[in-house]
Amino acid sequence: MAESDTEPRQTPDEIQAEINREQRRLAETLDELSVQARPANIARRQVAKAKERGTRIFDEARALVLGGGAVRVESHLVRPEEGSIVIKGDDKVVTTYQSRGQLPPEALILVAGVGTVIAVGVVAWAVRRKRK
């Protein structure tokens, strides 16, 4: 057996330095997790997601009503980079849109009918409330 096989690969000081580095890295990771897990930060992310979804739904509805714009073709989740910290619900969604032509007349008639029903309902509700 060669003499180099029995010698330790790291000195005790090197081992201690490595332990200290790993402890600092773990402490930083725990700090990051505690920041992300704060209720205010969770609420902020959820509000941002709700706004994003609402904006997307609004844009699609506007495109449907106006008869132009684009429609969503497909959406999929994007995997986070390896080694990144992801809290449940922090996935990123990539959406593909496609330009489309005019709406068929049937769709426009349906939208006009729904709008009329809603308007009549609101007026009836307001008149009824005023009588009470």
Side-chain angles (χ1 to χ4, degrees):
M1 213 185 246
E3 191 174 316
S4 64
D5 289 343
T6 60
E7 292 179 16
R9 294 183 184 154
Q10 292 180 317
T11 66
D13 289 338
E14 292 172 334
I15 293 172
Q16 185 63 43
E18 184 177 345
I19 290 171
N20 291 339
R21 278 192 307 274
E22 289 300 317
Q23 285 177 338
R24 278 193 303 276
R25 189 179 66 79
L26 180 59
E28 289 171 3
T29 301
L30 290 174
D31 288 344
E32 288 176 21
L33 287 173
S34 70
V35 167
Q36 290 182 5
R38 287 187 186 139
N41 292 340
I42 293 171
R44 191 176 301 114
R45 284 194 306 271
Q46 294 303 320
V47 166
K49 283 183 187 178
K51 284 181 181 178
E52 179 184 330
R53 288 180 186 140
T55 301
R56 187 173 64 236
I57 290 170
F58 177 76
D59 289 344
E60 289 178 9
R62 184 177 55 201
L64 178 67
V65 170
L66 297 178
V71 291
R72 182 173 44 168
V73 175
E74 162 297 298
S75 295
H76 63 278
L77 291 175
V78 176
R79 292 183 163 268
E81 294 178 23
E82 187 174 329
S84 61
I85 298 171
V86 178
I87 303 267
K88 184 178 180 182
D90 279 351
D91 300 325
K92 300 291 182 200
V93 176
V94 173
T95 305
T96 305
Y97 289 91
Q98 178 179 349
S99 183
R100 64 181 171 93
Q102 291 289 80
L103 285 176
E106 297 85 13
L108 295 175
I109 292 170
L110 177 65
V111 169
V114 169
T116 303
V117 168
I118 290 173
V120 168
V122 168
V123 168
W125 174 78
V127 168
R128 189 167 193 219
R129 185 174 174 175
K130 202 174 200 180
R131 287 183 185 172
K132 288 185 178 182

